[in-house]
Amino acid sequence: MPSTRTTTTTLLVSALVVYSAQGMLVPVLAPVTRLVGLGEVDLGAVMTLSAAMLVLTGPWWGREVDRVGVHAVLVRGLLIATIGAAGFAVMTEVAVRQELPRWLVLSAFALTRGVLYGVGFAAVPVAALTYLASTSDGATARTQAMGAFGAVQGISLVVGPAIGGLAAIGGLLLPVHLAPVLVGATLVAVWLLPAPERQERPERERLGFGDPRVLPYLAAGAALFLGLALVEIILGFLVQDRLGLTNSETAGVVAVAGVAIGIGFALTQAVVAPRVPGGPRALIVIGSLVAAAGYALAIVATTLGVLLPALMVIAAGLGLAVPGYNGGATLVVEPSEHAAVAGQLSATVGLTYVIGPVLGAGLYGLNDLAPIVGAALLSVVAAVVAAASVRPVAR
C-alpha cells in the first residue's frame, strides 16, 4: 500500500491538474461564449448547472468515499470529468465551424460542461478534504493540511489561466481542447497507482446540514463564496467592457489577473494562514474583512493598475478564510464524520455557484458595479456570522 505521503501527494497533484484544467478556460470562456452565439446569461446558466452538480453529488461522493475509498472515488470522478470536458471541446469546435440553433449549443454545453464535468469535478475536493482531515490532528495541523490543499487551488489559478492565455495565442479554442487531455492524463496516472488502505468507519446517523456544530461554518462560507461567485462570472466581461479590449486582449488581461489572484491565494494559505493566532474563527473573520476591502477597491478601479492590486487583496482575504472554513468544520465533528462534512463543505460552495453566476450576470446587466458591491457586503456578513457563531477550536 502507498504511504500517507504518497497518497497525499497524489491527491494534491490530482487537484492541481483538475483545477488548472478548469482555470485554462477562464481567459477564453467569455470570448468563446460570444463566438458560438451565446450570451452572458447563457454562460451563467451553464456554470450554475455545473455548480448544482456539486450540491447534488457532493454529499453522495462523501458517502462513496466511506463505501469504496478515496482512490475509487477519484478514478470515477476523473473519468466522468474527462468525458464531460471532451464533449464540451467537440461541441465548441462544431459550433464555431457551422451555425447551429442556439438551443442545441446551449443544451450540449449544459450536458457536457454543466452536468458531466460538474459531477466528476465534485469528487476531487471531497476525496481530498476527507483524506487530509483524517490524517491531521489539532487546529494547527488541520490548518496546515487545508492550507496545502488551498495552496494547490491557488497555484492552479496561476497555472491554469497562464497556460490558457498562452495557448489562446495559438488559437482561441486550443485551451478548450487541452483541458480534457490534462484531466484524462490525471485519470490514467491515478488509476495506475495502487489504492491506499482506507479507514473503516462505524455506521452512524447521517450528518445533517442543520447540525449546530457545522452550521455556522456553512453559513459564513455560503456568504463568502456567494460574493466570489458574483464577481468571478463577470470578470471577463468587466475587463473587456471597462477597459475597451478586443477578445484576444481580454484573454491576455484575464490571464494576468488570474496569475495575480493565484499568487495571493496560494501564498496566503501556505505561509500566512497557519501563523494567524485565534484558530479557524479568526481566519474566517480576518479573511472576510480583507476580502471586503479588496472588493471596495475594485469598485473604484478604472485602470488595470488599480484593478490587479484589488484582485490580489481579495485573493489574500480568501486565502485566510478558506482554511478556517474547511479546517474548522472538520475539527468540530468526529473522525467518522469527515467524509460527510467534506461533502457538505463542497455542496455549500456549489450552492453559492448555483445562485451566483446567474445573479452576477443579471446584476452586471443592470449595473457593472452591482456584483462587486454585493460581494463586499456578503464578505462583511461572513465576518459577522463567524464572529458571532463560530466557537473557538483548541490548537
Side-chain angles (χ1 to χ4, degrees), residues 139-140 143-144 146-147 265-280 283 316 318-324 395:
T140 300
T143 299
Q144 290 174 339
M146 297 305 170
F265 193 61
L267 288 179
T268 305
Q269 292 201 69
V271 179
V272 181
R275 292 172 170 78
V276 173
L283 286 171
L318 294 173
L320 290 174
V322 171
R395 297 180 72 83

mmCIF file with all atom_site columns, all heavy atoms in Angstrom, residues 139-140 143-144 146-147 265-280 283 316 318-324 395:
data_model
loop_
_atom_site.group_PDB
_atom_site.id
_atom_site.type_symbol
_atom_site.label_atom_id
_atom_site.label_alt_id
_atom_site.label_comp_id
_atom_site.label_asym_id
_atom_site.label_entity_id
_atom_site.label_seq_id
_atom_site.pdbx_PDB_ins_code
_atom_site.Cartn_x
_atom_site.Cartn_y
_atom_site.Cartn_z
_atom_site.occupancy
_atom_site.B_iso_or_equiv
_atom_site.pdbx_formal_charge
_atom_site.auth_seq_id
_atom_site.auth_comp_id
_atom_site.auth_asym_id
_atom_site.auth_atom_id
_atom_site.pdbx_PDB_model_num
ATOM 1   N N   . ALA A 1 139 ? -5.923  21.848 15.556 1.00 0.00 ? 139 ALA A N   1
ATOM 2   C CA  . ALA A 1 139 ? -6.213  23.007 14.711 1.00 0.00 ? 139 ALA A CA  1
ATOM 3   C C   . ALA A 1 139 ? -5.014  23.413 13.867 1.00 0.00 ? 139 ALA A C   1
ATOM 4   O O   . ALA A 1 139 ? -5.161  23.758 12.696 1.00 0.00 ? 139 ALA A O   1
ATOM 5   C CB  . ALA A 1 139 ? -6.679  24.177 15.579 1.00 0.00 ? 139 ALA A CB  1
ATOM 6   N N   . THR A 1 140 ? -3.810  23.379 14.448 1.00 0.00 ? 140 THR A N   1
ATOM 7   C CA  . THR A 1 140 ? -2.631  23.820 13.703 1.00 0.00 ? 140 THR A CA  1
ATOM 8   C C   . THR A 1 140 ? -2.336  22.894 12.531 1.00 0.00 ? 140 THR A C   1
ATOM 9   O O   . THR A 1 140 ? -2.147  23.344 11.394 1.00 0.00 ? 140 THR A O   1
ATOM 10  C CB  . THR A 1 140 ? -1.404  23.888 14.630 1.00 0.00 ? 140 THR A CB  1
ATOM 11  O OG1 . THR A 1 140 ? -1.665  24.810 15.693 1.00 0.00 ? 140 THR A OG1 1
ATOM 12  C CG2 . THR A 1 140 ? -0.180  24.349 13.857 1.00 0.00 ? 140 THR A CG2 1
ATOM 13  N N   . THR A 1 143 ? -5.108  23.153 9.910  1.00 0.00 ? 143 THR A N   1
ATOM 14  C CA  . THR A 1 143 ? -4.990  24.372 9.116  1.00 0.00 ? 143 THR A CA  1
ATOM 15  C C   . THR A 1 143 ? -3.880  24.242 8.086  1.00 0.00 ? 143 THR A C   1
ATOM 16  O O   . THR A 1 143 ? -4.009  24.682 6.943  1.00 0.00 ? 143 THR A O   1
ATOM 17  C CB  . THR A 1 143 ? -4.711  25.590 10.022 1.00 0.00 ? 143 THR A CB  1
ATOM 18  O OG1 . THR A 1 143 ? -5.797  25.755 10.946 1.00 0.00 ? 143 THR A OG1 1
ATOM 19  C CG2 . THR A 1 143 ? -4.561  26.864 9.202  1.00 0.00 ? 143 THR A CG2 1
ATOM 20  N N   . GLN A 1 144 ? -2.760  23.613 8.477  1.00 0.00 ? 144 GLN A N   1
ATOM 21  C CA  . GLN A 1 144 ? -1.662  23.402 7.536  1.00 0.00 ? 144 GLN A CA  1
ATOM 22  C C   . GLN A 1 144 ? -2.095  22.478 6.398  1.00 0.00 ? 144 GLN A C   1
ATOM 23  O O   . GLN A 1 144 ? -1.766  22.729 5.234  1.00 0.00 ? 144 GLN A O   1
ATOM 24  C CB  . GLN A 1 144 ? -0.457  22.819 8.265  1.00 0.00 ? 144 GLN A CB  1
ATOM 25  C CG  . GLN A 1 144 ? 0.217   23.801 9.217  1.00 0.00 ? 144 GLN A CG  1
ATOM 26  C CD  . GLN A 1 144 ? 1.319   23.149 10.033 1.00 0.00 ? 144 GLN A CD  1
ATOM 27  O OE1 . GLN A 1 144 ? 1.347   21.933 10.203 1.00 0.00 ? 144 GLN A OE1 1
ATOM 28  N NE2 . GLN A 1 144 ? 2.229   23.956 10.552 1.00 0.00 ? 144 GLN A NE2 1
ATOM 29  N N   . MET A 1 146 ? -5.217  21.839 5.309  1.00 0.00 ? 146 MET A N   1
ATOM 30  C CA  . MET A 1 146 ? -6.181  22.520 4.459  1.00 0.00 ? 146 MET A CA  1
ATOM 31  C C   . MET A 1 146 ? -5.515  23.665 3.691  1.00 0.00 ? 146 MET A C   1
ATOM 32  O O   . MET A 1 146 ? -5.894  23.985 2.565  1.00 0.00 ? 146 MET A O   1
ATOM 33  C CB  . MET A 1 146 ? -7.345  23.054 5.303  1.00 0.00 ? 146 MET A CB  1
ATOM 34  C CG  . MET A 1 146 ? -8.151  21.963 5.989  1.00 0.00 ? 146 MET A CG  1
ATOM 35  S SD  . MET A 1 146 ? -8.770  20.738 4.814  1.00 0.00 ? 146 MET A SD  1
ATOM 36  C CE  . MET A 1 146 ? -9.399  19.476 5.935  1.00 0.00 ? 146 MET A CE  1
ATOM 37  N N   . GLY A 1 147 ? -4.503  24.274 4.308  1.00 0.00 ? 147 GLY A N   1
ATOM 38  C CA  . GLY A 1 147 ? -3.749  25.309 3.613  1.00 0.00 ? 147 GLY A CA  1
ATOM 39  C C   . GLY A 1 147 ? -2.998  24.761 2.420  1.00 0.00 ? 147 GLY A C   1
ATOM 40  O O   . GLY A 1 147 ? -2.871  25.427 1.391  1.00 0.00 ? 147 GLY A O   1
ATOM 41  N N   . PHE A 1 265 ? -3.616  34.040 -3.376 1.00 0.00 ? 265 PHE A N   1
ATOM 42  C CA  . PHE A 1 265 ? -4.390  32.960 -2.758 1.00 0.00 ? 265 PHE A CA  1
ATOM 43  C C   . PHE A 1 265 ? -3.477  31.860 -2.215 1.00 0.00 ? 265 PHE A C   1
ATOM 44  O O   . PHE A 1 265 ? -3.636  31.393 -1.086 1.00 0.00 ? 265 PHE A O   1
ATOM 45  C CB  . PHE A 1 265 ? -5.350  32.396 -3.802 1.00 0.00 ? 265 PHE A CB  1
ATOM 46  C CG  . PHE A 1 265 ? -6.424  31.503 -3.246 1.00 0.00 ? 265 PHE A CG  1
ATOM 47  C CD1 . PHE A 1 265 ? -7.337  31.983 -2.324 1.00 0.00 ? 265 PHE A CD1 1
ATOM 48  C CD2 . PHE A 1 265 ? -6.541  30.191 -3.672 1.00 0.00 ? 265 PHE A CD2 1
ATOM 49  C CE1 . PHE A 1 265 ? -8.345  31.157 -1.830 1.00 0.00 ? 265 PHE A CE1 1
ATOM 50  C CE2 . PHE A 1 265 ? -7.530  29.363 -3.188 1.00 0.00 ? 265 PHE A CE2 1
ATOM 51  C CZ  . PHE A 1 265 ? -8.442  29.851 -2.261 1.00 0.00 ? 265 PHE A CZ  1
ATOM 52  N N   . ALA A 1 266 ? -2.495  31.450 -3.030 1.00 0.00 ? 266 ALA A N   1
ATOM 53  C CA  . ALA A 1 266 ? -1.607  30.352 -2.643 1.00 0.00 ? 266 ALA A CA  1
ATOM 54  C C   . ALA A 1 266 ? -0.678  30.745 -1.503 1.00 0.00 ? 266 ALA A C   1
ATOM 55  O O   . ALA A 1 266 ? -0.540  30.022 -0.511 1.00 0.00 ? 266 ALA A O   1
ATOM 56  C CB  . ALA A 1 266 ? -0.803  29.887 -3.853 1.00 0.00 ? 266 ALA A CB  1
ATOM 57  N N   . LEU A 1 267 ? -0.022  31.895 -1.632 1.00 0.00 ? 267 LEU A N   1
ATOM 58  C CA  . LEU A 1 267 ? 0.930   32.302 -0.603 1.00 0.00 ? 267 LEU A CA  1
ATOM 59  C C   . LEU A 1 267 ? 0.246   32.549 0.739  1.00 0.00 ? 267 LEU A C   1
ATOM 60  O O   . LEU A 1 267 ? 0.787   32.195 1.793  1.00 0.00 ? 267 LEU A O   1
ATOM 61  C CB  . LEU A 1 267 ? 1.665   33.573 -1.053 1.00 0.00 ? 267 LEU A CB  1
ATOM 62  C CG  . LEU A 1 267 ? 2.685   33.406 -2.183 1.00 0.00 ? 267 LEU A CG  1
ATOM 63  C CD1 . LEU A 1 267 ? 3.324   34.741 -2.536 1.00 0.00 ? 267 LEU A CD1 1
ATOM 64  C CD2 . LEU A 1 267 ? 3.757   32.395 -1.784 1.00 0.00 ? 267 LEU A CD2 1
ATOM 65  N N   . THR A 1 268 ? -0.917  33.141 0.715  1.00 0.00 ? 268 THR A N   1
ATOM 66  C CA  . THR A 1 268 ? -1.624  33.414 1.969  1.00 0.00 ? 268 THR A CA  1
ATOM 67  C C   . THR A 1 268 ? -1.981  32.113 2.681  1.00 0.00 ? 268 THR A C   1
ATOM 68  O O   . THR A 1 268 ? -1.811  31.993 3.899  1.00 0.00 ? 268 THR A O   1
ATOM 69  C CB  . THR A 1 268 ? -2.891  34.236 1.708  1.00 0.00 ? 268 THR A CB  1
ATOM 70  O OG1 . THR A 1 268 ? -2.552  35.419 0.994  1.00 0.00 ? 268 THR A OG1 1
ATOM 71  C CG2 . THR A 1 268 ? -3.555  34.624 3.016  1.00 0.00 ? 268 THR A CG2 1
ATOM 72  N N   . GLN A 1 269 ? -2.478  31.135 1.936  1.00 0.00 ? 269 GLN A N   1
ATOM 73  C CA  . GLN A 1 269 ? -2.880  29.879 2.568  1.00 0.00 ? 269 GLN A CA  1
ATOM 74  C C   . GLN A 1 269 ? -1.680  29.075 3.047  1.00 0.00 ? 269 GLN A C   1
ATOM 75  O O   . GLN A 1 269 ? -1.719  28.475 4.125  1.00 0.00 ? 269 GLN A O   1
ATOM 76  C CB  . GLN A 1 269 ? -3.707  29.050 1.590  1.00 0.00 ? 269 GLN A CB  1
ATOM 77  C CG  . GLN A 1 269 ? -5.055  29.656 1.287  1.00 0.00 ? 269 GLN A CG  1
ATOM 78  C CD  . GLN A 1 269 ? -6.042  28.640 0.768  1.00 0.00 ? 269 GLN A CD  1
ATOM 79  O OE1 . GLN A 1 269 ? -6.482  27.754 1.492  1.00 0.00 ? 269 GLN A OE1 1
ATOM 80  N NE2 . GLN A 1 269 ? -6.404  28.762 -0.486 1.00 0.00 ? 269 GLN A NE2 1
ATOM 81  N N   . ALA A 1 270 ? -0.633  29.047 2.248  1.00 0.00 ? 270 ALA A N   1
ATOM 82  C CA  . ALA A 1 270 ? 0.519   28.215 2.595  1.00 0.00 ? 270 ALA A CA  1
ATOM 83  C C   . ALA A 1 270 ? 1.412   28.845 3.653  1.00 0.00 ? 270 ALA A C   1
ATOM 84  O O   . ALA A 1 270 ? 1.977   28.137 4.492  1.00 0.00 ? 270 ALA A O   1
ATOM 85  C CB  . ALA A 1 270 ? 1.340   27.924 1.337  1.00 0.00 ? 270 ALA A CB  1
ATOM 86  N N   . VAL A 1 271 ? 1.534   30.168 3.647  1.00 0.00 ? 271 VAL A N   1
ATOM 87  C CA  . VAL A 1 271 ? 2.511   30.839 4.506  1.00 0.00 ? 271 VAL A CA  1
ATOM 88  C C   . VAL A 1 271 ? 1.861   31.598 5.661  1.00 0.00 ? 271 VAL A C   1
ATOM 89  O O   . VAL A 1 271 ? 2.300   31.491 6.813  1.00 0.00 ? 271 VAL A O   1
ATOM 90  C CB  . VAL A 1 271 ? 3.387   31.806 3.669  1.00 0.00 ? 271 VAL A CB  1
ATOM 91  C CG1 . VAL A 1 271 ? 4.384   32.529 4.563  1.00 0.00 ? 271 VAL A CG1 1
ATOM 92  C CG2 . VAL A 1 271 ? 4.107   31.056 2.551  1.00 0.00 ? 271 VAL A CG2 1
ATOM 93  N N   . VAL A 1 272 ? 0.818   32.357 5.379  1.00 0.00 ? 272 VAL A N   1
ATOM 94  C CA  . VAL A 1 272 ? 0.250   33.253 6.388  1.00 0.00 ? 272 VAL A CA  1
ATOM 95  C C   . VAL A 1 272 ? -0.776  32.565 7.281  1.00 0.00 ? 272 VAL A C   1
ATOM 96  O O   . VAL A 1 272 ? -0.727  32.685 8.511  1.00 0.00 ? 272 VAL A O   1
ATOM 97  C CB  . VAL A 1 272 ? -0.382  34.488 5.715  1.00 0.00 ? 272 VAL A CB  1
ATOM 98  C CG1 . VAL A 1 272 ? -0.953  35.446 6.767  1.00 0.00 ? 272 VAL A CG1 1
ATOM 99  C CG2 . VAL A 1 272 ? 0.640   35.212 4.844  1.00 0.00 ? 272 VAL A CG2 1
ATOM 100 N N   . ALA A 1 273 ? -1.726  31.846 6.688  1.00 0.00 ? 273 ALA A N   1
ATOM 101 C CA  . ALA A 1 273 ? -2.838  31.271 7.449  1.00 0.00 ? 273 ALA A CA  1
ATOM 102 C C   . ALA A 1 273 ? -2.392  30.409 8.631  1.00 0.00 ? 273 ALA A C   1
ATOM 103 O O   . ALA A 1 273 ? -2.946  30.540 9.738  1.00 0.00 ? 273 ALA A O   1
ATOM 104 C CB  . ALA A 1 273 ? -3.749  30.479 6.517  1.00 0.00 ? 273 ALA A CB  1
ATOM 105 N N   . PRO A 1 274 ? -1.412  29.504 8.477  1.00 0.00 ? 274 PRO A N   1
ATOM 106 C CA  . PRO A 1 274 ? -1.017  28.679 9.626  1.00 0.00 ? 274 PRO A CA  1
ATOM 107 C C   . PRO A 1 274 ? -0.420  29.478 10.786 1.00 0.00 ? 274 PRO A C   1
ATOM 108 O O   . PRO A 1 274 ? -0.328  28.967 11.903 1.00 0.00 ? 274 PRO A O   1
ATOM 109 C CB  . PRO A 1 274 ? 0.032   27.727 9.032  1.00 0.00 ? 274 PRO A CB  1
ATOM 110 C CG  . PRO A 1 274 ? -0.256  27.700 7.571  1.00 0.00 ? 274 PRO A CG  1
ATOM 111 C CD  . PRO A 1 274 ? -0.712  29.088 7.251  1.00 0.00 ? 274 PRO A CD  1
ATOM 112 N N   . ARG A 1 275 ? -0.023  30.720 10.540 1.00 0.00 ? 275 ARG A N   1
ATOM 113 C CA  . ARG A 1 275 ? 0.626   31.524 11.571 1.00 0.00 ? 275 ARG A CA  1
ATOM 114 C C   . ARG A 1 275 ? -0.323  32.527 12.228 1.00 0.00 ? 275 ARG A C   1
ATOM 115 O O   . ARG A 1 275 ? 0.084   33.268 13.128 1.00 0.00 ? 275 ARG A O   1
ATOM 116 C CB  . ARG A 1 275 ? 1.819   32.271 10.961 1.00 0.00 ? 275 ARG A CB  1
ATOM 117 C CG  . ARG A 1 275 ? 2.958   31.360 10.548 1.00 0.00 ? 275 ARG A CG  1
ATOM 118 C CD  . ARG A 1 275 ? 4.027   32.107 9.764  1.00 0.00 ? 275 ARG A CD  1
ATOM 119 N NE  . ARG A 1 275 ? 5.220   31.295 9.571  1.00 0.00 ? 275 ARG A NE  1
ATOM 120 C CZ  . ARG A 1 275 ? 5.332   30.336 8.667  1.00 0.00 ? 275 ARG A CZ  1
ATOM 121 N NH1 . ARG A 1 275 ? 4.315   30.074 7.853  1.00 0.00 ? 275 ARG A NH1 1
ATOM 122 N NH2 . ARG A 1 275 ? 6.444   29.641 8.557  1.00 0.00 ? 275 ARG A NH2 1
ATOM 123 N N   . VAL A 1 276 ? -1.551  32.573 11.788 1.00 0.00 ? 276 VAL A N   1
ATOM 124 C CA  . VAL A 1 276 ? -2.523  33.511 12.370 1.00 0.00 ? 276 VAL A CA  1
ATOM 125 C C   . VAL A 1 276 ? -3.071  32.932 13.676 1.00 0.00 ? 276 VAL A C   1
ATOM 126 O O   . VAL A 1 276 ? -3.618  31.831 13.679 1.00 0.00 ? 276 VAL A O   1
ATOM 127 C CB  . VAL A 1 276 ? -3.677  33.788 11.387 1.00 0.00 ? 276 VAL A CB  1
ATOM 128 C CG1 . VAL A 1 276 ? -4.764  34.630 12.053 1.00 0.00 ? 276 VAL A CG1 1
ATOM 129 C CG2 . VAL A 1 276 ? -3.151  34.491 10.150 1.00 0.00 ? 276 VAL A CG2 1
ATOM 130 N N   . PRO A 1 277 ? -2.923  33.637 14.798 1.00 0.00 ? 277 PRO A N   1
ATOM 131 C CA  . PRO A 1 277 ? -3.456  33.127 16.055 1.00 0.00 ? 277 PRO A CA  1
ATOM 132 C C   . PRO A 1 277 ? -4.974  33.239 16.088 1.00 0.00 ? 277 PRO A C   1
ATOM 133 O O   . PRO A 1 277 ? -5.570  34.040 15.368 1.00 0.00 ? 277 PRO A O   1
ATOM 134 C CB  . PRO A 1 277 ? -2.822  34.048 17.104 1.00 0.00 ? 277 PRO A CB  1
ATOM 135 C CG  . PRO A 1 277 ? -2.582  35.330 16.371 1.00 0.00 ? 277 PRO A CG  1
ATOM 136 C CD  . PRO A 1 277 ? -2.237  34.938 14.954 1.00 0.00 ? 277 PRO A CD  1
ATOM 137 N N   . GLY A 1 278 ? -5.588  32.409 16.921 1.00 0.00 ? 278 GLY A N   1
ATOM 138 C CA  . GLY A 1 278 ? -7.040  32.503 17.078 1.00 0.00 ? 278 GLY A CA  1
ATOM 139 C C   . GLY A 1 278 ? -7.805  31.391 16.412 1.00 0.00 ? 278 GLY A C   1
ATOM 140 O O   . GLY A 1 278 ? -9.022  31.289 16.578 1.00 0.00 ? 278 GLY A O   1
ATOM 141 N N   . GLY A 1 279 ? -7.132  30.527 15.643 1.00 0.00 ? 279 GLY A N   1
ATOM 142 C CA  . GLY A 1 279 ? -7.795  29.372 15.056 1.00 0.00 ? 279 GLY A CA  1
ATOM 143 C C   . GLY A 1 279 ? -8.713  29.699 13.891 1.00 0.00 ? 279 GLY A C   1
ATOM 144 O O   . GLY A 1 279 ? -8.685  30.801 13.329 1.00 0.00 ? 279 GLY A O   1
ATOM 145 N N   . PRO A 1 280 ? -9.584  28.753 13.523 1.00 0.00 ? 280 PRO A N   1
ATOM 146 C CA  . PRO A 1 280 ? -10.448 28.910 12.347 1.00 0.00 ? 280 PRO A CA  1
ATOM 147 C C   . PRO A 1 280 ? -11.346 30.145 12.393 1.00 0.00 ? 280 PRO A C   1
ATOM 148 O O   . PRO A 1 280 ? -11.546 30.798 11.367 1.00 0.00 ? 280 PRO A O   1
ATOM 149 C CB  . PRO A 1 280 ? -11.278 27.623 12.359 1.00 0.00 ? 280 PRO A CB  1
ATOM 150 C CG  . PRO A 1 280 ? -10.406 26.621 13.045 1.00 0.00 ? 280 PRO A CG  1
ATOM 151 C CD  . PRO A 1 280 ? -9.682  27.395 14.104 1.00 0.00 ? 280 PRO A CD  1
ATOM 152 N N   . LEU A 1 283 ? -9.417  33.205 11.411 1.00 0.00 ? 283 LEU A N   1
ATOM 153 C CA  . LEU A 1 283 ? -9.089  33.164 9.984  1.00 0.00 ? 283 LEU A CA  1
ATOM 154 C C   . LEU A 1 283 ? -10.274 33.613 9.129  1.00 0.00 ? 283 LEU A C   1
ATOM 155 O O   . LEU A 1 283 ? -10.115 34.377 8.175  1.00 0.00 ? 283 LEU A O   1
ATOM 156 C CB  . LEU A 1 283 ? -8.665  31.753 9.586  1.00 0.00 ? 283 LEU A CB  1
ATOM 157 C CG  . LEU A 1 283 ? -7.276  31.298 10.041 1.00 0.00 ? 283 LEU A CG  1
ATOM 158 C CD1 . LEU A 1 283 ? -7.087  29.808 9.759  1.00 0.00 ? 283 LEU A CD1 1
ATOM 159 C CD2 . LEU A 1 283 ? -6.188  32.109 9.350  1.00 0.00 ? 283 LEU A CD2 1
ATOM 160 N N   . ALA A 1 316 ? -6.001  37.396 -1.170 1.00 0.00 ? 316 ALA A N   1
ATOM 161 C CA  . ALA A 1 316 ? -5.352  37.224 0.138  1.00 0.00 ? 316 ALA A CA  1
ATOM 162 C C   . ALA A 1 316 ? -6.396  37.011 1.232  1.00 0.00 ? 316 ALA A C   1
ATOM 163 O O   . ALA A 1 316 ? -6.212  36.167 2.124  1.00 0.00 ? 316 ALA A O   1
ATOM 164 C CB  . ALA A 1 316 ? -4.497  38.455 0.450  1.00 0.00 ? 316 ALA A CB  1
ATOM 165 N N   . LEU A 1 318 ? -9.430  35.734 0.871  1.00 0.00 ? 318 LEU A N   1
ATOM 166 C CA  . LEU A 1 318 ? -9.978  34.390 0.708  1.00 0.00 ? 318 LEU A CA  1
ATOM 167 C C   . LEU A 1 318 ? -8.961  33.332 1.139  1.00 0.00 ? 318 LEU A C   1
ATOM 168 O O   . LEU A 1 318 ? -9.328  32.281 1.689  1.00 0.00 ? 318 LEU A O   1
ATOM 169 C CB  . LEU A 1 318 ? -10.376 34.164 -0.747 1.00 0.00 ? 318 LEU A CB  1
ATOM 170 C CG  . LEU A 1 318 ? -11.533 35.027 -1.265 1.00 0.00 ? 318 LEU A CG  1
ATOM 171 C CD1 . LEU A 1 318 ? -11.711 34.828 -2.761 1.00 0.00 ? 318 LEU A CD1 1
ATOM 172 C CD2 . LEU A 1 318 ? -12.820 34.692 -0.533 1.00 0.00 ? 318 LEU A CD2 1
ATOM 173 N N   . GLY A 1 319 ? -7.685  33.612 0.900  1.00 0.00 ? 319 GLY A N   1
ATOM 174 C CA  . GLY A 1 319 ? -6.637  32.679 1.315  1.00 0.00 ? 319 GLY A CA  1
ATOM 175 C C   . GLY A 1 319 ? -6.566  32.494 2.813  1.00 0.00 ? 319 GLY A C   1
ATOM 176 O O   . GLY A 1 319 ? -6.149  31.444 3.303  1.00 0.00 ? 319 GLY A O   1
ATOM 177 N N   . LEU A 1 320 ? -6.964  33.503 3.562  1.00 0.00 ? 320 LEU A N   1
ATOM 178 C CA  . LEU A 1 320 ? -7.057  33.368 5.020  1.00 0.00 ? 320 LEU A CA  1
ATOM 179 C C   . LEU A 1 320 ? -8.334  32.646 5.435  1.00 0.00 ? 320 LEU A C   1
ATOM 180 O O   . LEU A 1 320 ? -8.318  31.790 6.325  1.00 0.00 ? 320 LEU A O   1
ATOM 181 C CB  . LEU A 1 320 ? -7.024  34.750 5.674  1.00 0.00 ? 320 LEU A CB  1
ATOM 182 C CG  . LEU A 1 320 ? -5.696  35.505 5.634  1.00 0.00 ? 320 LEU A CG  1
ATOM 183 C CD1 . LEU A 1 320 ? -5.883  36.906 6.203  1.00 0.00 ? 320 LEU A CD1 1
ATOM 184 C CD2 . LEU A 1 320 ? -4.620  34.759 6.404  1.00 0.00 ? 320 LEU A CD2 1
ATOM 185 N N   . ALA A 1 321 ? -9.446  32.997 4.815  1.00 0.00 ? 321 ALA A N   1
ATOM 186 C CA  . ALA A 1 321 ? -10.741 32.492 5.263  1.00 0.00 ? 321 ALA A CA  1
ATOM 187 C C   . ALA A 1 321 ? -10.968 31.025 4.909  1.00 0.00 ? 321 ALA A C   1
ATOM 188 O O   . ALA A 1 321 ? -11.553 30.275 5.704  1.00 0.00 ? 321 ALA A O   1
ATOM 189 C CB  . ALA A 1 321 ? -11.861 33.346 4.668  1.00 0.00 ? 321 ALA A CB  1
ATOM 190 N N   . VAL A 1 322 ? -10.523 30.583 3.739  1.00 0.00 ? 322 VAL A N   1
ATOM 191 C CA  . VAL A 1 322 ? -10.843 29.231 3.276  1.00 0.00 ? 322 VAL A CA  1
ATOM 192 C C   . VAL A 1 322 ? -10.258 28.129 4.172  1.00 0.00 ? 322 VAL A C   1
ATOM 193 O O   . VAL A 1 322 ? -10.956 27.160 4.492  1.00 0.00 ? 322 VAL A O   1
ATOM 194 C CB  . VAL A 1 322 ? -10.410 29.053 1.803  1.00 0.00 ? 322 VAL A CB  1
ATOM 195 C CG1 . VAL A 1 322 ? -10.521 27.594 1.382  1.00 0.00 ? 322 VAL A CG1 1
ATOM 196 C CG2 . VAL A 1 322 ? -11.277 29.923 0.907  1.00 0.00 ? 322 VAL A CG2 1
ATOM 197 N N   . PRO A 1 323 ? -8.986  28.205 4.630  1.00 0.00 ? 323 PRO A N   1
ATOM 198 C CA  . PRO A 1 323 ? -8.514  27.166 5.559  1.00 0.00 ? 323 PRO A CA  1
ATOM 199 C C   . PRO A 1 323 ? -9.298  27.147 6.865  1.00 0.00 ? 323 PRO A C   1
ATOM 200 O O   . PRO A 1 323 ? -9.485  26.083 7.464  1.00 0.00 ? 323 PRO A O   1
ATOM 201 C CB  . PRO A 1 323 ? -7.049  27.560 5.811  1.00 0.00 ? 323 PRO A CB  1
ATOM 202 C CG  . PRO A 1 323 ? -6.667  28.389 4.646  1.00 0.00 ? 323 PRO A CG  1
ATOM 203 C CD  . PRO A 1 323 ? -7.902  29.141 4.261  1.00 0.00 ? 323 PRO A CD  1
ATOM 204 N N   . GLY A 1 324 ? -9.759  28.314 7.315  1.00 0.00 ? 324 GLY A N   1
ATOM 205 C CA  . GLY A 1 324 ? -10.594 28.344 8.510  1.00 0.00 ? 324 GLY A CA  1
ATOM 206 C C   . GLY A 1 324 ? -11.924 27.674 8.276  1.00 0.00 ? 324 GLY A C   1
ATOM 207 O O   . GLY A 1 324 ? -12.441 26.956 9.143  1.00 0.00 ? 324 GLY A O   1
ATOM 208 N N   . ARG A 1 395 ? -6.013  24.574 19.643 1.00 0.00 ? 395 ARG A N   1
ATOM 209 C CA  . ARG A 1 395 ? -4.937  24.271 18.704 1.00 0.00 ? 395 ARG A CA  1
ATOM 210 C C   . ARG A 1 395 ? -4.342  22.909 19.000 1.00 0.00 ? 395 ARG A C   1
ATOM 211 O O   . ARG A 1 395 ? -3.742  22.302 18.147 1.00 0.00 ? 395 ARG A O   1
ATOM 212 C CB  . ARG A 1 395 ? -3.847  25.358 18.789 1.00 0.00 ? 395 ARG A CB  1
ATOM 213 C CG  . ARG A 1 395 ? -4.364  26.715 18.375 1.00 0.00 ? 395 ARG A CG  1
ATOM 214 C CD  . ARG A 1 395 ? -3.286  27.770 18.463 1.00 0.00 ? 395 ARG A CD  1
ATOM 215 N NE  . ARG A 1 395 ? -2.281  27.632 17.418 1.00 0.00 ? 395 ARG A NE  1
ATOM 216 C CZ  . ARG A 1 395 ? -2.431  28.102 16.192 1.00 0.00 ? 395 ARG A CZ  1
ATOM 217 N NH1 . ARG A 1 395 ? -3.531  28.721 15.850 1.00 0.00 ? 395 ARG A NH1 1
ATOM 218 N NH2 . ARG A 1 395 ? -1.467  27.955 15.296 1.00 0.00 ? 395 ARG A NH2 1
#
